[in-house]
Coordinates of all heavy atoms in Angstrom, one line a residue:
N452 N -12.2 -0.4 31.2 CA -11.5 -1.3 30.2 C -10.8 -2.4 30.8 O -10.8 -3.5 30.3 CB -10.6 -0.4 29.4 CG -11.4 0.4 28.3 OD1 -12.5 0.1 28.0 ND2 -10.7 1.5 27.9
L453 N -10.1 -2.1 31.9 CA -9.3 -3.1 32.5 C -10.2 -4.2 33.1 O -10.0 -5.4 32.9 CB -8.4 -2.4 33.6 CG -7.4 -3.3 34.4 CD1 -6.5 -4.1 33.4 CD2 -6.6 -2.5 35.4
A454 N -11.2 -3.8 33.8 CA -12.1 -4.7 34.5 C -12.8 -5.7 33.5 O -12.9 -6.8 33.8 CB -13.1 -4.0 35.4
V455 N -13.2 -5.2 32.4 CA -13.9 -6.1 31.5 C -13.0 -7.1 30.8 O -13.4 -8.0 30.1 CB -14.7 -5.3 30.3 CG1 -15.9 -4.7 30.9 CG2 -13.9 -4.4 29.5
G456 N -11.7 -6.9 31.0 CA -10.7 -7.9 30.5 C -10.7 -9.1 31.4 O -10.2 -10.2 31.0
H457 N -11.3 -9.1 32.6 CA -11.5 -10.3 33.4 C -12.4 -11.2 32.8 O -13.5 -10.8 32.4 CB -12.0 -9.8 34.8 CG -12.0 -10.9 35.8 ND1 -12.8 -12.0 35.8 CD2 -11.2 -11.1 36.9 CE1 -12.5 -12.8 36.8 NE2 -11.5 -12.3 37.5
P458 N -12.0 -12.5 32.6 CA -12.8 -13.4 31.8 C -14.3 -13.6 32.4 O -15.1 -14.1 31.6 CB -12.0 -14.8 31.9 CG -11.0 -14.6 33.0 CD -10.8 -13.1 33.1
K459 N -14.5 -13.3 33.6 CA -15.9 -13.6 34.1 C -16.8 -12.3 34.1 O -17.9 -12.3 34.5 CB -15.8 -14.1 35.6 CG -15.2 -15.5 35.6 CD -15.1 -16.0 37.0 CE -14.6 -17.4 37.0 NZ -14.4 -17.9 38.4
V460 N -16.2 -11.2 33.7 CA -16.9 -9.9 33.7 C -17.6 -9.6 32.4 O -16.9 -9.7 31.3 CB -16.0 -8.8 34.1 CG1 -16.7 -7.4 34.0 CG2 -15.5 -8.9 35.5
A461 N -18.9 -9.4 32.4 CA -19.6 -9.0 31.2 C -19.6 -7.5 31.0 O -19.3 -7.1 29.9 CB -21.1 -9.5 31.3
E462 N -19.8 -6.7 32.0 CA -19.8 -5.3 31.9 C -19.3 -4.6 33.1 O -19.5 -5.2 34.2 CB -21.2 -4.8 31.5 CG -21.1 -3.4 30.8 CD -22.5 -2.9 30.4 OE1 -23.5 -3.5 30.7 OE2 -22.5 -1.9 29.6
A463 N -18.6 -3.5 33.0 CA -18.1 -2.8 34.2 C -18.4 -1.3 34.1 O -18.3 -0.8 33.0 CB -16.6 -3.1 34.4
A464 N -18.6 -0.7 35.2 CA -18.8 0.8 35.2 C -18.1 1.3 36.5 O -18.1 0.6 37.6 CB -20.2 1.2 35.3
V465 N -17.4 2.4 36.4 CA -16.7 3.0 37.5 C -17.3 4.4 37.8 O -17.4 5.2 36.9 CB -15.2 3.0 37.3 CG1 -14.5 3.8 38.5 CG2 -14.6 1.6 37.2
I466 N -17.7 4.6 39.1 CA -18.1 6.0 39.4 C -17.4 6.4 40.7 O -16.8 5.6 41.4 CB -19.7 6.0 39.7 CG1 -20.0 4.9 40.7 CG2 -20.5 5.9 38.5 CD1 -21.4 5.0 41.3
G467 N -17.4 7.8 40.8 CA -16.8 8.3 42.0 C -17.8 8.3 43.1 O -18.9 8.7 42.9
V468 N -17.4 7.9 44.3 CA -18.2 7.9 45.5 C -17.6 8.8 46.5 O -16.3 8.7 46.7 CB -18.5 6.5 46.0 CG1 -19.2 6.5 47.3 CG2 -19.2 5.6 45.0
S469 N -18.4 9.6 47.2 CA -17.7 10.6 48.1 C -16.9 9.9 49.2 O -17.3 8.8 49.7 CB -18.7 11.6 48.6 OG -19.5 10.9 49.6
H470 N -15.8 10.6 49.6 CA -14.9 10.0 50.5 C -14.4 11.2 51.4 O -14.0 12.2 50.8 CB -13.7 9.4 49.8 CG -12.8 8.5 50.6 ND1 -11.9 9.1 51.5 CD2 -12.8 7.2 50.8 CE1 -11.3 8.2 52.1 NE2 -11.8 7.0 51.8
P471 N -14.4 11.0 52.7 CA -14.1 12.2 53.6 C -12.6 12.7 53.4 O -12.4 13.9 53.5 CB -14.3 11.6 55.0 CG -14.3 10.2 54.9 CD -14.8 9.9 53.5
K472 N -11.7 11.8 53.1 CA -10.3 12.2 53.0 C -9.9 12.6 51.6 O -9.3 13.6 51.3 CB -9.4 11.1 53.5 CG -7.9 11.4 53.4 CD -7.1 10.5 54.2 CE -5.6 10.8 54.0 NZ -4.8 9.6 54.3
W473 N -10.4 11.8 50.6 CA -9.9 12.0 49.2 C -10.9 12.8 48.3 O -10.7 12.9 47.1 CB -9.6 10.6 48.6 CG -8.5 9.9 49.3 CD1 -8.7 8.8 50.1 CD2 -7.2 10.2 49.4 NE1 -7.5 8.4 50.6 CE2 -6.5 9.3 50.2 CE3 -6.4 11.3 48.9 CZ2 -5.2 9.3 50.6 CZ3 -5.0 11.3 49.2 CH2 -4.4 10.3 50.0
D474 N -12.0 13.2 48.9 CA -13.1 13.8 48.2 C -13.9 12.8 47.4 O -15.1 12.6 47.7 CB -12.5 14.9 47.2 CG -13.6 15.7 46.6 OD1 -14.7 15.7 47.2 OD2 -13.3 16.4 45.6
E475 N -13.3 12.1 46.5 CA -14.0 11.0 45.8 C -13.0 9.8 45.6 O -11.8 10.0 45.5 CB -14.4 11.4 44.3 CG -15.7 12.1 44.2 CD -16.0 12.4 42.7 OE1 -15.2 12.1 41.8 OE2 -17.0 13.0 42.5
R476 N -13.6 8.6 45.7 CA -12.8 7.4 45.3 C -13.6 6.5 44.4 O -14.8 6.5 44.4 CB -12.4 6.6 46.6 CG -11.4 7.3 47.5 CD -10.0 7.4 46.9 NE -9.5 6.1 46.6 CZ -8.6 5.9 45.7 NH1 -8.0 6.9 45.0 NH2 -8.2 4.6 45.4
P477 N -12.9 5.7 43.6 CA -13.6 4.9 42.6 C -14.3 3.7 43.2 O -13.8 3.0 44.0 CB -12.5 4.4 41.6 CG -11.2 4.7 42.3 CD -11.4 5.7 43.4
L478 N -15.6 3.5 42.7 CA -16.3 2.3 43.1 C -16.5 1.5 41.7 O -17.0 2.1 40.8 CB -17.7 2.6 43.7 CG -18.7 1.4 43.8 CD1 -18.2 0.4 44.8 CD2 -20.1 1.9 44.1
L479 N -16.2 0.3 41.7 CA -16.3 -0.5 40.5 C -17.6 -1.3 40.6 O -17.8 -2.1 41.5 CB -15.1 -1.5 40.4 CG -15.1 -2.5 39.3 CD1 -15.2 -1.9 37.9 CD2 -13.8 -3.4 39.4
V480 N -18.5 -1.1 39.6 CA -19.7 -1.8 39.5 C -19.7 -2.8 38.4 O -19.3 -2.5 37.3 CB -20.9 -0.8 39.2 CG1 -22.2 -1.5 39.3 CG2 -20.9 0.3 40.3
I481 N -20.0 -4.1 38.8 CA -19.7 -5.2 37.8 C -21.0 -6.0 37.5 O -21.8 -6.3 38.4 CB -18.7 -6.2 38.5 CG1 -17.4 -5.5 38.7 CG2 -18.6 -7.5 37.8 CD1 -16.5 -5.7 37.5
V482 N -21.2 -6.4 36.3 CA -22.2 -7.4 35.9 C -21.4 -8.6 35.5 O -20.5 -8.5 34.5 CB -23.1 -6.9 34.7 CG1 -24.1 -8.0 34.4 CG2 -23.8 -5.6 35.1
L483 N -21.6 -9.7 36.1 CA -20.8 -10.9 35.8 C -21.5 -11.6 34.6 O -22.7 -11.4 34.3 CB -20.8 -11.9 36.9 CG -19.9 -11.5 38.1 CD1 -20.1 -12.4 39.3 CD2 -18.4 -11.4 37.7
K484 N -20.7 -12.4 33.8 CA -21.3 -13.1 32.7 C -22.2 -14.2 33.3 O -22.1 -14.6 34.4 CB -20.2 -13.9 31.9 CG -19.3 -12.9 31.1 CD -18.4 -13.7 30.2 CE -17.5 -12.8 29.4 NZ -16.2 -13.4 28.9
K485 N -23.2 -14.5 32.5 CA -24.3 -15.5 33.0 C -23.6 -16.8 33.5 O -22.8 -17.4 32.9 CB -25.2 -15.9 31.8 CG -26.4 -14.9 31.7 CD -27.6 -15.7 31.2 CE -28.7 -14.6 31.0 NZ -28.5 -13.8 29.8
G486 N -24.1 -17.1 34.8 CA -23.6 -18.4 35.4 C -22.3 -18.3 36.0 O -21.8 -19.3 36.6
E487 N -21.6 -17.1 35.9 CA -20.2 -17.0 36.5 C -20.3 -16.5 37.9 O -21.2 -15.7 38.3 CB -19.4 -16.1 35.7 CG -19.1 -16.6 34.3 CD -18.1 -17.8 34.3 OE1 -17.7 -18.3 35.3 OE2 -17.8 -18.2 33.1
Q488 N -19.3 -16.8 38.7 CA -19.2 -16.2 40.1 C -17.8 -15.7 40.3 O -16.8 -16.3 39.8 CB -19.5 -17.3 41.1 CG -20.9 -17.7 41.1 CD -21.3 -18.3 42.4 OE1 -20.6 -19.1 43.0 NE2 -22.6 -18.0 42.8
A489 N -17.7 -14.6 40.9 CA -16.3 -14.0 41.2 C -16.5 -13.2 42.5 O -17.5 -12.6 42.8 CB -15.8 -13.2 40.1
S490 N -15.4 -13.0 43.2 CA -15.4 -12.2 44.4 C -14.7 -10.9 44.1 O -14.0 -10.7 43.1 CB -14.7 -12.9 45.5 OG -13.3 -13.1 45.2
K491 N -14.9 -10.0 45.1 CA -14.2 -8.7 45.0 C -12.7 -8.9 44.8 O -12.0 -8.3 44.0 CB -14.5 -7.9 46.3 CG -13.7 -6.7 46.5 CD -14.1 -6.0 47.8 CE -13.1 -5.0 48.3 NZ -13.4 -4.4 49.5
E492 N -12.2 -9.9 45.6 CA -10.7 -10.1 45.6 C -10.3 -10.6 44.3 O -9.2 -10.2 43.8 CB -10.3 -11.1 46.7 CG -10.4 -10.6 48.2 CD -11.8 -10.3 48.6 OE1 -12.8 -11.0 48.2 OE2 -12.0 -9.4 49.5
D493 N -11.1 -11.5 43.6 CA -10.7 -12.0 42.3 C -10.5 -10.8 41.3 O -9.6 -10.8 40.6 CB -11.9 -12.8 41.7 CG -12.0 -14.2 42.4 OD1 -11.1 -14.6 43.0 OD2 -13.2 -14.7 42.3
I494 N -11.5 -9.9 41.4 CA -11.5 -8.8 40.4 C -10.4 -7.9 40.7 O -9.6 -7.5 39.8 CB -12.9 -8.0 40.5 CG1 -14.1 -9.0 40.3 CG2 -12.9 -6.9 39.4 CD1 -14.3 -9.5 39.0
L495 N -10.2 -7.5 41.9 CA -9.2 -6.5 42.2 C -7.8 -7.1 42.0 O -6.9 -6.5 41.6 CB -9.3 -6.0 43.7 CG -10.6 -5.1 43.9 CD1 -10.6 -4.6 45.3 CD2 -10.7 -4.0 42.9
G496 N -7.7 -8.4 42.3 CA -6.4 -9.1 42.1 C -6.0 -9.1 40.7 O -4.8 -8.9 40.3
F497 N -7.0 -9.2 39.8 CA -6.8 -9.2 38.4 C -6.3 -7.8 37.9 O -5.4 -7.7 37.0 CB -8.1 -9.5 37.7 CG -8.1 -9.4 36.2 CD1 -7.5 -10.4 35.3 CD2 -8.6 -8.2 35.6 CE1 -7.5 -10.2 34.0 CE2 -8.6 -8.1 34.2 CZ -8.0 -9.1 33.4
M498 N -6.7 -6.8 38.6 CA -6.4 -5.4 38.2 C -5.0 -5.0 38.8 O -4.3 -4.1 38.2 CB -7.5 -4.4 38.6 CG -8.8 -4.7 38.0 SD -10.1 -3.7 38.6 CE -9.8 -2.1 37.8
Q499 N -4.6 -5.6 39.9 CA -3.4 -5.3 40.6 C -2.2 -5.3 39.7 O -2.0 -6.2 38.9 CB -3.2 -6.3 41.7 CG -2.3 -5.7 42.8 CD -3.1 -5.7 44.1 OE1 -3.8 -6.6 44.4 NE2 -3.0 -4.6 44.9
G500 N -1.4 -4.3 39.8 CA -0.1 -4.2 39.0 C -0.3 -3.7 37.6 O 0.6 -3.4 36.9
K501 N -1.6 -3.6 37.2 CA -1.8 -3.1 35.8 C -2.1 -1.6 35.8 O -2.3 -1.0 34.7 CB -3.0 -3.9 35.2 CG -2.6 -5.3 35.0 CD -3.7 -6.1 34.3 CE -3.4 -7.6 34.1 NZ -4.3 -8.5 34.8
I502 N -2.3 -1.0 37.0 CA -2.6 0.4 37.1 C -1.9 1.0 38.4 O -1.5 0.2 39.2 CB -4.1 0.7 37.3 CG1 -4.8 -0.3 38.2 CG2 -4.8 0.9 36.0 CD1 -6.1 0.0 38.7
A503 N -1.8 2.3 38.4 CA -1.2 2.9 39.6 C -1.9 2.5 40.8 O -3.2 2.3 40.8 CB -1.2 4.4 39.5
K504 N -1.2 2.3 41.9 CA -1.9 1.8 43.2 C -3.1 2.7 43.6 O -4.1 2.2 44.0 CB -0.8 1.8 44.3 CG -0.5 0.4 44.8 CD 0.2 0.5 46.1 CE 0.6 -0.8 46.6 NZ 1.9 -0.7 47.3
W505 N -2.9 4.0 43.5 CA -3.9 4.9 44.0 C -5.1 4.9 43.0 O -6.1 5.6 43.4 CB -3.3 6.3 44.3 CG -2.8 7.0 43.1 CD1 -1.6 6.9 42.5 CD2 -3.5 8.0 42.3 NE1 -1.4 7.7 41.5 CE2 -2.6 8.4 41.3 CE3 -4.8 8.6 42.3 CZ2 -2.9 9.4 40.3 CZ3 -5.1 9.5 41.4 CH2 -4.2 9.9 40.4

Side-chain angles (χ1 to χ4, degrees):
N452 281 340
L453 183 57
V455 289
H457 189 290
K459 294 183 176 171
V460 172
E462 202 176 11
V465 172
I466 50 168
V468 172
S469 71
H470 191 283
K472 178 164 176 201
W473 301 109
D474 191 16
E475 270 183 4
R476 288 294 302 159
L478 168 69
L479 173 59
V480 184
I481 293 274
V482 181
L483 289 171
K484 286 187 184 159
K485 270 215 183 73
E487 295 288 4
Q488 292 204 319
S490 66
K491 167 181 168 182
E492 288 70 28
D493 289 338
I494 306 285
L495 293 183
F497 172 81
M498 298 173 77
Q499 202 117 43
K501 298 183 180 117
I502 37 165
K504 244 196 185 142
W505 64 276

